[in-house]
Structure formats: structure tokens, C-alpha cells
PDB file of all heavy atoms in Angstrom:
ATOM      1  N   GLU A  42      -5.801   6.320   6.946  1.00 62.00           N
ATOM      2  CA  GLU A  42      -4.705   5.695   6.444  1.00 62.00           C
ATOM      3  C   GLU A  42      -3.424   6.569   6.534  1.00 62.00           C
ATOM      4  O   GLU A  42      -2.243   5.999   6.374  1.00 62.00           O
ATOM      5  CB  GLU A  42      -4.808   5.205   5.089  1.00 62.00           C
ATOM      6  CG  GLU A  42      -5.822   4.191   4.766  1.00 62.00           C
ATOM      7  CD  GLU A  42      -5.877   3.750   3.426  1.00 62.00           C
ATOM      8  OE1 GLU A  42      -5.520   4.466   2.461  1.00 62.00           O
ATOM      9  OE2 GLU A  42      -6.523   2.591   3.150  1.00 62.00           O
ATOM     10  N   GLU A  43      -3.607   7.817   6.662  1.00 65.00           N
ATOM     11  CA  GLU A  43      -2.365   8.774   6.510  1.00 65.00           C
ATOM     12  C   GLU A  43      -1.411   8.392   7.553  1.00 65.00           C
ATOM     13  O   GLU A  43      -1.691   8.336   8.747  1.00 65.00           O
ATOM     14  CB  GLU A  43      -2.814  10.172   6.664  1.00 65.00           C
ATOM     15  CG  GLU A  43      -1.738  11.180   6.202  1.00 65.00           C
ATOM     16  CD  GLU A  43      -2.220  12.553   6.114  1.00 65.00           C
ATOM     17  OE1 GLU A  43      -3.182  12.718   5.487  1.00 65.00           O
ATOM     18  OE2 GLU A  43      -1.492  13.467   6.679  1.00 65.00           O
ATOM     19  N   GLY A  44      -0.071   8.320   7.192  1.00 66.00           N
ATOM     20  CA  GLY A  44       0.961   8.064   8.052  1.00 66.00           C
ATOM     21  C   GLY A  44       1.246   6.606   8.382  1.00 66.00           C
ATOM     22  O   GLY A  44       2.246   6.280   9.069  1.00 66.00           O
ATOM     23  N   ILE A  45       0.474   5.663   7.733  1.00 70.00           N
ATOM     24  CA  ILE A  45       0.650   4.178   8.063  1.00 70.00           C
ATOM     25  C   ILE A  45       1.758   3.637   7.080  1.00 70.00           C
ATOM     26  O   ILE A  45       2.164   2.546   7.124  1.00 70.00           O
ATOM     27  CB  ILE A  45      -0.571   3.351   8.165  1.00 70.00           C
ATOM     28  CG1 ILE A  45      -1.337   3.396   6.709  1.00 70.00           C
ATOM     29  CG2 ILE A  45      -1.478   3.812   9.128  1.00 70.00           C
ATOM     30  CD1 ILE A  45      -2.354   2.290   6.645  1.00 70.00           C
ATOM     31  N   TYR A  46       2.093   4.468   5.929  1.00 75.00           N
ATOM     32  CA  TYR A  46       2.965   3.920   4.991  1.00 75.00           C
ATOM     33  C   TYR A  46       4.349   4.524   5.280  1.00 75.00           C
ATOM     34  O   TYR A  46       4.643   5.628   4.988  1.00 75.00           O
ATOM     35  CB  TYR A  46       2.411   4.301   3.562  1.00 75.00           C
ATOM     36  CG  TYR A  46       1.097   3.860   3.244  1.00 75.00           C
ATOM     37  CD1 TYR A  46      -0.120   4.717   3.170  1.00 75.00           C
ATOM     38  CD2 TYR A  46       0.839   2.494   3.117  1.00 75.00           C
ATOM     39  CE1 TYR A  46      -1.292   4.090   2.872  1.00 75.00           C
ATOM     40  CE2 TYR A  46      -0.371   1.972   2.919  1.00 75.00           C
ATOM     41  CZ  TYR A  46      -1.479   2.800   2.813  1.00 75.00           C
ATOM     42  OH  TYR A  46      -2.667   2.326   2.413  1.00 75.00           O
ATOM     43  N   ASP A  47       5.160   3.746   5.877  1.00 82.00           N
ATOM     44  CA  ASP A  47       6.536   4.103   6.141  1.00 82.00           C
ATOM     45  C   ASP A  47       7.470   3.566   5.255  1.00 82.00           C
ATOM     46  O   ASP A  47       7.154   2.876   4.229  1.00 82.00           O
ATOM     47  CB  ASP A  47       6.809   3.768   7.672  1.00 82.00           C
ATOM     48  CG  ASP A  47       6.641   2.310   7.958  1.00 82.00           C
ATOM     49  OD1 ASP A  47       6.383   1.548   6.968  1.00 82.00           O
ATOM     50  OD2 ASP A  47       6.663   1.941   9.062  1.00 82.00           O
ATOM     51  N   ASP A  48       8.725   3.664   5.492  1.00 86.00           N
ATOM     52  CA  ASP A  48       9.880   3.100   4.723  1.00 86.00           C
ATOM     53  C   ASP A  48       9.779   1.635   4.612  1.00 86.00           C
ATOM     54  O   ASP A  48      10.165   1.116   3.537  1.00 86.00           O
ATOM     55  CB  ASP A  48      11.245   3.617   5.217  1.00 86.00           C
ATOM     56  CG  ASP A  48      11.507   5.062   4.987  1.00 86.00           C
ATOM     57  OD1 ASP A  48      10.831   5.644   4.058  1.00 86.00           O
ATOM     58  OD2 ASP A  48      12.261   5.694   5.766  1.00 86.00           O
ATOM     59  N   ASP A  49       9.473   0.946   5.715  1.00 89.00           N
ATOM     60  CA  ASP A  49       9.429  -0.513   5.694  1.00 89.00           C
ATOM     61  C   ASP A  49       8.245  -0.893   4.718  1.00 89.00           C
ATOM     62  O   ASP A  49       8.526  -1.956   3.797  1.00 89.00           O
ATOM     63  CB  ASP A  49       9.019  -1.082   7.079  1.00 89.00           C
ATOM     64  CG  ASP A  49      10.254  -0.921   8.016  1.00 89.00           C
ATOM     65  OD1 ASP A  49      11.434  -0.792   7.427  1.00 89.00           O
ATOM     66  OD2 ASP A  49      10.027  -0.878   9.224  1.00 89.00           O
ATOM     67  N   PHE A  50       7.144  -0.292   4.743  1.00 87.00           N
ATOM     68  CA  PHE A  50       6.086  -0.640   3.739  1.00 87.00           C
ATOM     69  C   PHE A  50       6.562  -0.375   2.308  1.00 87.00           C
ATOM     70  O   PHE A  50       6.206  -1.174   1.501  1.00 87.00           O
ATOM     71  CB  PHE A  50       4.780   0.184   4.121  1.00 87.00           C
ATOM     72  CG  PHE A  50       3.631  -0.109   3.250  1.00 87.00           C
ATOM     73  CD1 PHE A  50       2.850  -1.300   3.491  1.00 87.00           C
ATOM     74  CD2 PHE A  50       3.334   0.653   2.121  1.00 87.00           C
ATOM     75  CE1 PHE A  50       1.745  -1.749   2.685  1.00 87.00           C
ATOM     76  CE2 PHE A  50       2.193   0.367   1.245  1.00 87.00           C
ATOM     77  CZ  PHE A  50       1.529  -0.827   1.656  1.00 87.00           C
ATOM     78  N   LYS A  51       7.191   0.732   2.191  1.00 88.00           N
ATOM     79  CA  LYS A  51       7.790   1.089   0.798  1.00 88.00           C
ATOM     80  C   LYS A  51       8.586  -0.097   0.323  1.00 88.00           C
ATOM     81  O   LYS A  51       8.500  -0.534  -0.836  1.00 88.00           O
ATOM     82  CB  LYS A  51       8.392   2.387   0.787  1.00 88.00           C
ATOM     83  CG  LYS A  51       8.953   2.799  -0.502  1.00 88.00           C
ATOM     84  CD  LYS A  51       9.589   4.117  -0.349  1.00 88.00           C
ATOM     85  CE  LYS A  51      10.402   4.405  -1.693  1.00 88.00           C
ATOM     86  NZ  LYS A  51      11.199   5.704  -1.700  1.00 88.00           N
ATOM     87  N   LYS A  52       9.569  -0.398   1.108  1.00 92.00           N
ATOM     88  CA  LYS A  52      10.537  -1.524   0.705  1.00 92.00           C
ATOM     89  C   LYS A  52       9.845  -2.861   0.369  1.00 92.00           C
ATOM     90  O   LYS A  52      10.082  -3.593  -0.615  1.00 92.00           O
ATOM     91  CB  LYS A  52      11.466  -1.780   1.836  1.00 92.00           C
ATOM     92  CG  LYS A  52      12.620  -0.573   2.017  1.00 92.00           C
ATOM     93  CD  LYS A  52      13.445  -0.959   3.212  1.00 92.00           C
ATOM     94  CE  LYS A  52      14.286   0.324   3.309  1.00 92.00           C
ATOM     95  NZ  LYS A  52      15.057   0.238   4.689  1.00 92.00           N
ATOM     96  N   LEU A  53       8.740  -3.230   1.270  1.00 92.00           N
ATOM     97  CA  LEU A  53       7.988  -4.340   0.999  1.00 92.00           C
ATOM     98  C   LEU A  53       7.270  -4.338  -0.321  1.00 92.00           C
ATOM     99  O   LEU A  53       7.301  -5.308  -1.091  1.00 92.00           O
ATOM    100  CB  LEU A  53       7.055  -4.526   2.164  1.00 92.00           C
ATOM    101  CG  LEU A  53       6.050  -5.781   1.979  1.00 92.00           C
ATOM    102  CD1 LEU A  53       6.856  -7.044   1.942  1.00 92.00           C
ATOM    103  CD2 LEU A  53       4.995  -5.663   3.102  1.00 92.00           C
ATOM    104  N   THR A  54       6.695  -3.188  -0.600  1.00 91.00           N
ATOM    105  CA  THR A  54       5.892  -2.946  -1.841  1.00 91.00           C
ATOM    106  C   THR A  54       6.814  -3.130  -3.060  1.00 91.00           C
ATOM    107  O   THR A  54       6.501  -3.702  -4.035  1.00 91.00           O
ATOM    108  CB  THR A  54       5.252  -1.700  -1.837  1.00 91.00           C
ATOM    109  OG1 THR A  54       4.296  -1.642  -0.655  1.00 91.00           O
ATOM    110  CG2 THR A  54       4.377  -1.443  -3.059  1.00 91.00           C
ATOM    111  N   GLU A  55       8.078  -2.438  -2.966  1.00 92.00           N
ATOM    112  CA  GLU A  55       8.982  -2.414  -4.018  1.00 92.00           C
ATOM    113  C   GLU A  55       9.504  -3.839  -4.329  1.00 92.00           C
ATOM    114  O   GLU A  55       9.735  -4.198  -5.428  1.00 92.00           O
ATOM    115  CB  GLU A  55      10.095  -1.415  -3.818  1.00 92.00           C
ATOM    116  CG  GLU A  55       9.640  -0.033  -4.016  1.00 92.00           C
ATOM    117  CD  GLU A  55      10.693   0.967  -3.587  1.00 92.00           C
ATOM    118  OE1 GLU A  55      11.677   0.508  -2.978  1.00 92.00           O
ATOM    119  OE2 GLU A  55      10.522   2.254  -3.944  1.00 92.00           O
ATOM    120  N   SER A  56       9.652  -4.633  -3.082  1.00 93.00           N
ATOM    121  CA  SER A  56      10.245  -5.997  -3.445  1.00 93.00           C
ATOM    122  C   SER A  56       9.222  -6.864  -4.125  1.00 93.00           C
ATOM    123  O   SER A  56       9.540  -7.691  -4.908  1.00 93.00           O
ATOM    124  CB  SER A  56      10.713  -6.667  -2.132  1.00 93.00           C
ATOM    125  OG  SER A  56       9.649  -6.832  -1.266  1.00 93.00           O
ATOM    126  N   LYS A  57       7.913  -6.708  -3.695  1.00 92.00           N
ATOM    127  CA  LYS A  57       6.893  -7.383  -4.336  1.00 92.00           C
ATOM    128  C   LYS A  57       6.736  -7.090  -5.820  1.00 92.00           C
ATOM    129  O   LYS A  57       6.483  -7.918  -6.690  1.00 92.00           O
ATOM    130  CB  LYS A  57       5.496  -7.267  -3.709  1.00 92.00           C
ATOM    131  CG  LYS A  57       5.435  -8.044  -2.274  1.00 92.00           C
ATOM    132  CD  LYS A  57       4.212  -7.712  -1.717  1.00 92.00           C
ATOM    133  CE  LYS A  57       4.065  -8.548  -0.335  1.00 92.00           C
ATOM    134  NZ  LYS A  57       2.681  -8.354   0.240  1.00 92.00           N
ATOM    135  N   LEU A  58       6.840  -5.718  -6.142  1.00 88.00           N
ATOM    136  CA  LEU A  58       6.846  -5.282  -7.494  1.00 88.00           C
ATOM    137  C   LEU A  58       7.929  -5.988  -8.344  1.00 88.00           C
ATOM    138  O   LEU A  58       7.859  -6.382  -9.438  1.00 88.00           O
ATOM    139  CB  LEU A  58       6.871  -3.802  -7.509  1.00 88.00           C
ATOM    140  CG  LEU A  58       6.810  -3.060  -8.840  1.00 88.00           C
ATOM    141  CD1 LEU A  58       5.460  -3.614  -9.528  1.00 88.00           C
ATOM    142  CD2 LEU A  58       6.865  -1.667  -8.759  1.00 88.00           C
ATOM    143  N   GLU A  59       9.203  -6.048  -7.761  1.00 90.00           N
ATOM    144  CA  GLU A  59      10.370  -6.582  -8.350  1.00 90.00           C
ATOM    145  C   GLU A  59      10.060  -8.119  -8.696  1.00 90.00           C
ATOM    146  O   GLU A  59      10.450  -8.584  -9.820  1.00 90.00           O
ATOM    147  CB  GLU A  59      11.578  -6.436  -7.608  1.00 90.00           C
ATOM    148  CG  GLU A  59      12.794  -6.830  -8.226  1.00 90.00           C
ATOM    149  CD  GLU A  59      13.046  -5.995  -9.600  1.00 90.00           C
ATOM    150  OE1 GLU A  59      12.744  -4.863  -9.633  1.00 90.00           O
ATOM    151  OE2 GLU A  59      13.587  -6.627 -10.527  1.00 90.00           O
ATOM    152  N   GLU A  60       9.483  -8.754  -7.763  1.00 90.00           N
ATOM    153  CA  GLU A  60       9.149 -10.184  -7.913  1.00 90.00           C
ATOM    154  C   GLU A  60       8.204 -10.295  -9.076  1.00 90.00           C
ATOM    155  O   GLU A  60       8.368 -11.236  -9.958  1.00 90.00           O
ATOM    156  CB  GLU A  60       8.505 -10.706  -6.678  1.00 90.00           C
ATOM    157  CG  GLU A  60       9.496 -11.003  -5.509  1.00 90.00           C
ATOM    158  CD  GLU A  60       8.758 -11.519  -4.295  1.00 90.00           C
ATOM    159  OE1 GLU A  60       7.695 -12.129  -4.419  1.00 90.00           O
ATOM    160  OE2 GLU A  60       9.430 -11.288  -3.199  1.00 90.00           O
ATOM    161  N   LEU A  61       7.246  -9.500  -9.254  1.00 86.00           N
ATOM    162  CA  LEU A  61       6.210  -9.565 -10.297  1.00 86.00           C
ATOM    163  C   LEU A  61       6.915  -9.329 -11.689  1.00 86.00           C
ATOM    164  O   LEU A  61       6.672  -9.768 -12.661  1.00 86.00           O
ATOM    165  CB  LEU A  61       5.156  -8.599 -10.139  1.00 86.00           C
ATOM    166  CG  LEU A  61       4.178  -8.880  -8.988  1.00 86.00           C
ATOM    167  CD1 LEU A  61       3.173  -7.703  -8.754  1.00 86.00           C
ATOM    168  CD2 LEU A  61       3.415 -10.197  -9.323  1.00 86.00           C
ATOM    169  N   ARG A  62       7.881  -8.297 -11.666  1.00 84.00           N
ATOM    170  CA  ARG A  62       8.624  -8.050 -12.870  1.00 84.00           C
ATOM    171  C   ARG A  62       9.461  -9.156 -13.363  1.00 84.00           C
ATOM    172  O   ARG A  62       9.554  -9.459 -14.502  1.00 84.00           O
ATOM    173  CB  ARG A  62       9.415  -6.742 -12.615  1.00 84.00           C
ATOM    174  CG  ARG A  62       8.717  -5.450 -12.615  1.00 84.00           C
ATOM    175  CD  ARG A  62       9.679  -4.352 -12.519  1.00 84.00           C
ATOM    176  NE  ARG A  62       8.872  -3.104 -12.428  1.00 84.00           N
ATOM    177  CZ  ARG A  62       9.095  -2.017 -11.702  1.00 84.00           C
ATOM    178  NH1 ARG A  62      10.187  -2.104 -10.863  1.00 84.00           N
ATOM    179  NH2 ARG A  62       8.435  -0.943 -11.749  1.00 84.00           N
ATOM    180  N   LYS A  63      10.091  -9.939 -12.462  1.00 87.00           N
ATOM    181  CA  LYS A  63      10.818 -11.108 -12.747  1.00 87.00           C
ATOM    182  C   LYS A  63      10.004 -12.113 -13.404  1.00 87.00           C
ATOM    183  O   LYS A  63      10.525 -12.946 -14.230  1.00 87.00           O
ATOM    184  CB  LYS A  63      11.475 -11.721 -11.519  1.00 87.00           C
ATOM    185  CG  LYS A  63      12.560 -10.845 -11.007  1.00 87.00           C
ATOM    186  CD  LYS A  63      13.187 -11.472  -9.718  1.00 87.00           C
ATOM    187  CE  LYS A  63      14.301 -10.425  -9.112  1.00 87.00           C
ATOM    188  NZ  LYS A  63      14.812 -10.999  -7.823  1.00 87.00           N
ATOM    189  N   LEU A  64       8.714 -12.270 -13.173  1.00 86.00           N
ATOM    190  CA  LEU A  64       7.809 -13.221 -13.730  1.00 86.00           C
ATOM    191  C   LEU A  64       7.635 -12.872 -15.257  1.00 86.00           C
ATOM    192  O   LEU A  64       7.284 -13.890 -16.001  1.00 86.00           O
ATOM    193  CB  LEU A  64       6.479 -13.269 -13.096  1.00 86.00           C
ATOM    194  CG  LEU A  64       6.437 -13.679 -11.698  1.00 86.00           C
ATOM    195  CD1 LEU A  64       5.076 -13.634 -11.027  1.00 86.00           C
ATOM    196  CD2 LEU A  64       6.942 -15.188 -11.487  1.00 86.00           C
ATOM    197  N   ARG A  65       7.888 -11.724 -15.597  1.00 79.00           N
ATOM    198  CA  ARG A  65       7.670 -11.281 -17.079  1.00 79.00           C
ATOM    199  C   ARG A  65       6.377 -11.757 -17.771  1.00 79.00           C
ATOM    200  O   ARG A  65       6.301 -12.178 -18.907  1.00 79.00           O
ATOM    201  CB  ARG A  65       8.904 -11.977 -17.867  1.00 79.00           C
ATOM    202  CG  ARG A  65      10.193 -11.287 -17.432  1.00 79.00           C
ATOM    203  CD  ARG A  65      11.307 -11.598 -18.551  1.00 79.00           C
ATOM    204  NE  ARG A  65      12.531 -11.044 -18.091  1.00 79.00           N
ATOM    205  CZ  ARG A  65      13.060  -9.907 -18.590  1.00 79.00           C
ATOM    206  NH1 ARG A  65      12.347  -9.184 -19.330  1.00 79.00           N
ATOM    207  NH2 ARG A  65      14.168  -9.487 -18.140  1.00 79.00           N
ATOM    208  N   ILE A  66       5.371 -11.476 -17.020  1.00 80.00           N
ATOM    209  CA  ILE A  66       4.056 -11.906 -17.583  1.00 80.00           C
ATOM    210  C   ILE A  66       3.685 -10.575 -18.397  1.00 80.00           C
ATOM    211  O   ILE A  66       3.608  -9.404 -17.953  1.00 80.00           O
ATOM    212  CB  ILE A  66       2.928 -11.942 -16.427  1.00 80.00           C
ATOM    213  CG1 ILE A  66       3.380 -13.246 -15.617  1.00 80.00           C
ATOM    214  CG2 ILE A  66       1.646 -12.049 -17.022  1.00 80.00           C
ATOM    215  CD1 ILE A  66       2.535 -13.395 -14.449  1.00 80.00           C
ATOM    216  N   GLU A  67       3.433 -10.798 -19.622  1.00 79.00           N
ATOM    217  CA  GLU A  67       3.128  -9.700 -20.476  1.00 79.00           C
ATOM    218  C   GLU A  67       1.606  -9.580 -20.712  1.00 79.00           C
ATOM    219  O   GLU A  67       0.949 -10.588 -21.055  1.00 79.00           O
ATOM    220  CB  GLU A  67       3.875  -9.878 -21.945  1.00 79.00           C
ATOM    221  CG  GLU A  67       5.249  -9.696 -21.784  1.00 79.00           C
ATOM    222  CD  GLU A  67       5.968  -9.597 -23.051  1.00 79.00           C
ATOM    223  OE1 GLU A  67       5.276  -9.244 -24.054  1.00 79.00           O
ATOM    224  OE2 GLU A  67       7.075 -10.055 -23.236  1.00 79.00           O
ATOM    225  N   GLN A  68       1.168  -8.347 -20.651  1.00 80.00           N
ATOM    226  CA  GLN A  68      -0.207  -8.009 -20.832  1.00 80.00           C
ATOM    227  C   GLN A  68      -0.303  -6.847 -21.687  1.00 80.00           C
ATOM    228  O   GLN A  68      -0.601  -5.726 -21.225  1.00 80.00           O
ATOM    229  CB  GLN A  68      -1.043  -7.891 -19.699  1.00 80.00           C
ATOM    230  CG  GLN A  68      -1.063  -9.138 -18.713  1.00 80.00           C
ATOM    231  CD  GLN A  68      -1.745  -8.919 -17.353  1.00 80.00           C
ATOM    232  OE1 GLN A  68      -1.747  -7.704 -16.836  1.00 80.00           O
ATOM    233  NE2 GLN A  68      -2.344  -9.899 -16.792  1.00 80.00           N
ATOM    234  N   PRO A  69      -0.172  -6.980 -23.068  1.00 81.00           N
ATOM    235  CA  PRO A  69      -0.035  -5.754 -23.870  1.00 81.00           C
ATOM    236  C   PRO A  69      -1.247  -4.746 -23.821  1.00 81.00           C
ATOM    237  O   PRO A  69      -0.899  -3.599 -23.687  1.00 81.00           O
ATOM    238  CB  PRO A  69      -0.011  -6.350 -25.246  1.00 81.00           C
ATOM    239  CG  PRO A  69       0.433  -7.802 -25.139  1.00 81.00           C
ATOM    240  CD  PRO A  69      -0.098  -8.250 -23.769  1.00 81.00           C
ATOM    241  N   HIS A  70      -2.406  -5.268 -23.616  1.00 80.00           N
ATOM    242  CA  HIS A  70      -3.560  -4.463 -23.427  1.00 80.00           C
ATOM    243  C   HIS A  70      -3.555  -3.615 -22.199  1.00 80.00           C
ATOM    244  O   HIS A  70      -4.327  -2.616 -22.125  1.00 80.00           O
ATOM    245  CB  HIS A  70      -4.831  -5.193 -23.676  1.00 80.00           C
ATOM    246  CG  HIS A  70      -5.168  -6.246 -22.634  1.00 80.00           C
ATOM    247  ND1 HIS A  70      -4.478  -7.505 -22.643  1.00 80.00           N
ATOM    248  CD2 HIS A  70      -5.921  -6.278 -21.591  1.00 80.00           C
ATOM    249  CE1 HIS A  70      -4.802  -8.243 -21.600  1.00 80.00           C
ATOM    250  NE2 HIS A  70      -5.733  -7.422 -20.970  1.00 80.00           N
ATOM    251  N   LEU A  71      -2.841  -4.095 -21.185  1.00 81.00           N
ATOM    252  CA  LEU A  71      -2.741  -3.435 -19.824  1.00 81.00           C
ATOM    253  C   LEU A  71      -1.537  -2.657 -19.739  1.00 81.00           C
ATOM    254  O   LEU A  71      -1.430  -1.622 -19.044  1.00 81.00           O
ATOM    255  CB  LEU A  71      -2.862  -4.397 -18.691  1.00 81.00           C
ATOM    256  CG  LEU A  71      -4.322  -5.017 -18.623  1.00 81.00           C
ATOM    257  CD1 LEU A  71      -4.226  -6.065 -17.448  1.00 81.00           C
ATOM    258  CD2 LEU A  71      -5.356  -4.057 -18.420  1.00 81.00           C
ATOM    259  N   ASP A  72      -0.299  -3.163 -20.250  1.00 80.00           N
ATOM    260  CA  ASP A  72       0.960  -2.587 -19.992  1.00 80.00           C
ATOM    261  C   ASP A  72       1.258  -1.356 -21.022  1.00 80.00           C
ATOM    262  O   ASP A  72       2.287  -0.625 -20.747  1.00 80.00           O
ATOM    263  CB  ASP A  72       1.994  -3.706 -20.372  1.00 80.00           C
ATOM    264  CG  ASP A  72       2.032  -4.802 -19.289  1.00 80.00           C
ATOM    265  OD1 ASP A  72       1.548  -4.547 -18.133  1.00 80.00           O
ATOM    266  OD2 ASP A  72       2.469  -5.838 -19.665  1.00 80.00           O
ATOM    267  N   GLY A  73       0.477  -1.228 -22.058  1.00 85.00           N
ATOM    268  CA  GLY A  73       0.720  -0.150 -22.997  1.00 85.00           C
ATOM    269  C   GLY A  73       0.333   1.187 -22.420  1.00 85.00           C
ATOM    270  O   GLY A  73      -0.433   1.211 -21.398  1.00 85.00           O
ATOM    271  N   PRO A  74       0.641   2.260 -23.080  1.00 89.00           N
ATOM    272  CA  PRO A  74       0.220   3.616 -22.615  1.00 89.00           C
ATOM    273  C   PRO A  74      -1.277   3.758 -22.763  1.00 89.00           C
ATOM    274  O   PRO A  74      -1.841   3.202 -23.693  1.00 89.00           O
ATOM    275  CB  PRO A  74       1.060   4.587 -23.377  1.00 89.00           C
ATOM    276  CG  PRO A  74       1.478   3.732 -24.725  1.00 89.00           C
ATOM    277  CD  PRO A  74       1.576   2.338 -24.273  1.00 89.00           C
ATOM    278  N   ILE A  75      -1.875   4.689 -21.989  1.00 90.00           N
ATOM    279  CA  ILE A  75      -3.247   4.995 -22.058  1.00 90.00           C
ATOM    280  C   ILE A  75      -3.365   5.980 -23.204  1.00 90.00           C
ATOM    281  O   ILE A  75      -2.661   7.005 -23.275  1.00 90.00           O
ATOM    282  CB  ILE A  75      -3.831   5.692 -20.842  1.00 90.00           C
ATOM    283  CG1 ILE A  75      -3.687   4.668 -19.721  1.00 90.00           C
ATOM    284  CG2 ILE A  75      -5.282   6.120 -20.945  1.00 90.00           C
ATOM    285  CD1 ILE A  75      -3.994   5.254 -18.335  1.00 90.00           C
ATOM    286  N   THR A  76      -4.261   5.702 -24.193  1.00 90.00           N
ATOM    287  CA  THR A  76      -4.390   6.518 -25.451  1.00 90.00           C
ATOM    288  C   THR A  76      -5.477   7.582 -25.145  1.00 90.00           C
ATOM    289  O   THR A  76      -6.362   7.518 -24.323  1.00 90.00           O
ATOM    290  CB  THR A  76      -4.786   5.686 -26.648  1.00 90.00           C
ATOM    291  OG1 THR A  76      -6.139   5.142 -26.418  1.00 90.00           O
ATOM    292  CG2 THR A  76      -3.771   4.604 -26.916  1.00 90.00           C
ATOM    293  N   ALA A  77      -5.414   8.584 -26.038  1.00 92.00           N
ATOM    294  CA  ALA A  77      -6.461   9.675 -25.958  1.00 92.00           C
ATOM    295  C   ALA A  77      -7.845   9.077 -26.298  1.00 92.00           C
ATOM    296  O   ALA A  77      -8.843   9.372 -25.735  1.00 92.00           O
ATOM    297  CB  ALA A  77      -6.096  10.764 -26.861  1.00 92.00           C
ATOM    298  N   GLU A  78      -7.935   8.080 -27.174  1.00 92.00           N
ATOM    299  CA  GLU A  78      -9.182   7.482 -27.593  1.00 92.00           C
ATOM    300  C   GLU A  78      -9.711   6.756 -26.383  1.00 92.00           C
ATOM    301  O   GLU A  78     -11.042   6.747 -26.121  1.00 92.00           O
ATOM    302  CB  GLU A  78      -8.869   6.471 -28.607  1.00 92.00           C
ATOM    303  CG  GLU A  78     -10.141   5.777 -29.240  1.00 92.00           C
ATOM    304  CD  GLU A  78     -11.223   6.658 -29.694  1.00 92.00           C
ATOM    305  OE1 GLU A  78     -10.913   7.741 -30.273  1.00 92.00           O
ATOM    306  OE2 GLU A  78     -12.326   6.383 -29.593  1.00 92.00           O
TER     307      GLU A  78
END
């Protein structure tokens, strides 16, 4: 896979991530920080 992730792939991934953030789906058990426990 090395070298197949270019700037276009990065932009596509970031735009999909932004779309997911706009949905504002909250999952407290997944969104919180990882604890030492």
C-alpha cells in the first residue's frame, strides 16, 4: 500500500470525516478518551 495515499486521497478522507462530524452522532462510550483501566 505504500505510496498509494496521495493528496487527493487525503482530501477525500477529510471530506468524508467532515460529513460524519456534521451528523453529530454521539457515542460517549467510543468518543471518550481511552482510560488506563
Side-chain angles (χ1 to χ4, degrees):
E42 296 179 340
E43 190 167 315
I45 66 169
Y46 301 112
D47 56 10
D48 290 336
D49 291 335
F50 182 79
K51 179 181 175 184
K52 289 176 187 173
L53 175 65
T54 304
E55 288 175 345
S56 68
K57 286 183 179 183
L58 182 58
E59 189 59 35
E60 289 174 23
L61 290 172
R62 286 185 179 136
K63 287 178 185 176
L64 294 175
R65 294 194 180 265
I66 298 172
E67 292 188 28
Q68 299 176 330
H70 63 284
L71 296 177
D72 294 336
I75 298 171
T76 65
E78 180 63 28

